[in-house]
Amino acid sequence: MGQAMKVLVVGGGGREHALCWKLNRSDSVGEVVCAPGNPGIKREARCVNVGAEDVDGLLALAATEKPDLVVVGPEVPLVAGLGNKLREEGFAVFGPDKAAANLEGSKSFSKRLMHDAGVPTARFEVHVDADEAVDTIRSWGAPIVIKASGLAAGKGVIVAQTEKEAIVAARDMLAGNTFGDAGSQVIIEECLIGEEASCLFIVSGDTILPLASSQDHKALLDGDKGPNTGGMGAYSPAPCVTDAVENEVLETIARPIIAALKKKGAEFIGILYAGVMLTKNGLKTLEFNVRFGDPECQPLMSRLKSDLGEVLLAAAERRLDGVELEWEAGTSLCVVVSSDGYPSSFEKGQRIGGLDAVEAAGATVFHAGTAEKNGVIVNAGGRVLGVTTVAPSVKEAQTAVYMALENLDWPTGFYRRDIAYRALAREEK
Ligand code: AMP
Ligand code: GLY
């Protein structure tokens, strides 16, 4: 590696805080700039007030800053074509072009591609007509899954326990009430049962490098009850992802889908995130994302020992072949603290104290929905903090993170008390 590089990170959530934190600890990196960042990211990067979805503003920022590498955190700018546009200007970019980002941007495209490529996934139909959707729901019966095809900030999936609930969801989506244009096509899917895992890969053309496995808790409440959220906590590794499972995801899901995209002329550079379910009938793909998971990124970055800047630059420059990743042994675990009321409405602007004490107790606090008001950190979003630890065992990581959280001074801040319970049960066996 020559001179230490300048990296521009796009985004301002917990995922991007973890990326900036790790890049700032990479020997290859001299400076991290983040747009727009957040009060936590300010400790790791120079934050510039350009929104993560402002494609023109980001292009102008790149032209001024001249970064050696741009890392795009969220899906929205990727689906809008930020990757292409930056590459056209000659920048090294970690994040796929628009055509490849469609794997996340359009579930109907993604499901059809899985079908054509022989990638295992739940049985499905795509509908644009409400009455036809209702016919399918009635003929398949409940439980059944209804999905908006377009981007819906992680909220476009209804796992309906009754036909009635499914019909209401499908009709609302198709009428444009719930997700606007994103719901103009709905996917009706067979409901799968099993344990979920997040399998992420760094992809650069034909080279596919697996990251350590992880698992996310999508439900709001302990025991995986309550409504789905963007993710209330995550840990790595996920013990259900054995070496054999990891290899099967690589060979039967990741390789064929990347090859199918290439056949369509879409080269992939960035993160391929395969959300998978281990069912009684084998491994099935739930969804693809084209960026790091949030909150999975927080425990992954906490465990990664390799120089992140070097690895992402190698991927962006199509020379990933031969690169290997090193991970801390043991478990990393992230507990998300959310605003009371999330994922529905909540009050903003509440003072959050005790953050230094949480860190003094040995945890790393990644900021997501925070803001700074007169020098005080306040909540400004649904998911607010990702408190993360690394320890030799699941038990120790879990104990450490919850002990550190005792120091948090935010009376209405909400968090689950059981993150990693499945991994813990396996460890105790
Ligand atoms: P997705 O955004 O497609 O991953 O869906 C979000 C969440 O909904 C997943 O993490 C699963 O918990 C659940 N889900 C999605 N598809 C299915 C399915 N076919 N069967 C059961 N649960 C599903
Ligand atoms: N944690 C799930 C996601 O990032 O989509």
Side-chain angles (χ1 to χ4, degrees):
M1 198 78 215
Q3 225 183 342
M5 63 176 154
K6 181 188 211 179
V7 184
L8 170 62
V9 175
V10 174
R15 165 183 50 213
E16 289 78 24
H17 189 178
L19 291 171
C20 290
W21 177 88
K22 186 65 196 168
L23 286 166
N24 206 23
R25 285 157 183 74
S26 299
D27 289 340
S28 65
V29 177
E31 187 184 7
V32 187
V33 180
C34 187
N38 68 34
I41 293 176
K42 248 168 57 181
R43 291 181 299 184
E44 310 292 345
R46 174 159 55 83
C47 293
V48 182
N49 192 16
V50 177
E53 298 177 8
D54 176 3
V55 172
D56 290 336
L58 292 165
L59 286 168
L61 178 65
T64 316
E65 293 287 345
K66 299 184 178 54
D68 301 292
L69 171 67
V70 184
V71 178
V72 184
E75 61 278 13
V76 171
L78 292 169
V79 171
L82 179 63
N84 317 35
K85 290 179 180 159
L86 284 168
R87 267 188 274 271
E88 277 161 25
E89 299 297 323
F91 291 103
V93 184
F94 187 76
D97 280 357
K98 187 183 172 108
N102 233 349
L103 210 50
E104 176 166 1
S106 165
K107 286 191 198 284
S108 60
F109 169 82
S110 176
K111 290 290 286 192
R112 287 177 174 136
L113 198 67
M114 284 188 235
H115 180 262
D116 295 347
V119 168
T121 188
R123 174 178 164 220
F124 72 100
E125 283 183 7
V126 179
H127 285 284
V128 293
D129 180 86
D131 292 334
E132 288 175 17
V134 170
D135 284 346
T136 298
I137 293 166
R138 290 226 165 91
S139 99
W140 292 12
I144 189 165
V145 180
I146 312 295
K147 300 184 175 182
S149 180
L151 291 182
K155 297 182 187 115
V157 176
I158 307 292
V159 181
Q161 297 306 324
T162 63
E163 280 180 33
K164 193 173 155 209
E165 189 189 344
I167 290 169
V168 169
R171 283 202 187 278
D172 275 353
M173 283 182 194
L174 285 169
N177 295 338
T178 25
F179 302 108
D181 215 27
S184 63
Q185 290 189 314
V186 301
I187 322 296
I188 299 182
E189 259 185 44
E190 158 200 15
C191 186
L192 300 172
I193 294 168
E195 187 165 354
E196 278 183 62
S198 307
C199 296
L200 280 68
F201 302 88
I202 297 181
V203 181
S204 178
D206 294 328
T207 309
I208 304 182
L209 179 63
L211 297 179
S213 63
S214 56
Q215 199 163 26
D216 170 21
H217 289 273
K218 290 224 165 77
L220 179 69
L221 305 174
D222 284 10
D224 292 326
K225 302 277 191 312
N228 251 339
T229 70
M232 294 301 293
Y235 54 99
S236 170
C240 65
V241 182
T242 58
D243 290 349
V245 170
E246 183 181 296
N247 196 52
E248 197 183 333
V249 178
L250 175 63
E251 298 302 336
T252 68
I253 297 176
R255 280 199 208 289
I257 208 75
I258 292 299
L261 274 175
K262 191 178 172 184
K263 248 170 103 183
K264 288 193 173 288
E267 188 196 36
F268 199 106
I269 291 181
I271 293 289
L272 176 72
Y273 167 136
V276 301
M277 195 176 266
L278 287 82
T279 76
K280 272 197 303 207
N281 304 320
L283 201 57
K284 305 272 183 187
T285 314
L286 289 168
E287 63 160 346
F288 287 116
N289 296 321
V290 299
R291 34 87 194 162
F292 282 98
D294 189 344
E296 291 95 323
C297 189
Q298 290 81 317
L300 285 173
M301 290 305 112
S302 302
R303 267 189 80 206
L304 184 66
K305 291 209 285 194
S306 311
D307 182 311
L308 180 69
E310 214 170 274
V311 174
L312 299 187
L313 183 68
E317 294 182 337
R318 299 179 177 76
R319 46 180 184 77
L320 188 65
D321 203 19
V323 172
E324 286 178 15
L325 297 177
E326 262 194 277
W327 301 94
E328 266 338 313
T331 292
S332 55
L333 195 151
C334 169
V335 173
V336 169
V337 187
S338 68
S339 299
D340 186 34
Y342 171 80
S344 302
S345 60
F346 49 84
E347 187 189 303
K348 293 184 187 176
Q350 297 163 346
R351 177 186 173 276
I352 302 173
L355 292 168
D356 291 340
V358 174
E359 293 213 312
T364 304
V365 178
F366 294 116
H367 288 229
T370 65
E372 209 171 321
K373 228 164 83 185
N374 309 323
V376 174
I377 300 292
V378 298
N379 70 322
R383 293 186 297 163
V384 179
L385 305 169
V387 179
T388 309
T389 56
V390 187
S393 66
V394 181
K395 178 84 199 157
E396 287 161 284
Q398 199 195 49
T399 304
V401 83
Y402 285 116
M403 272 178 47
L405 270 164
E406 291 295 312
N407 297 288
L408 185 68
D409 179 14
W410 179 21
T412 59
F414 172 83
Y415 55 89
R416 279 180 61 161
R417 306 280 164 165
D418 68 343
I419 297 304
Y421 72 90
R422 282 201 186 86
L424 190 63
R426 273 175 206 262
E427 184 174 88
E428 285 173 348
K429 256 206 304 205

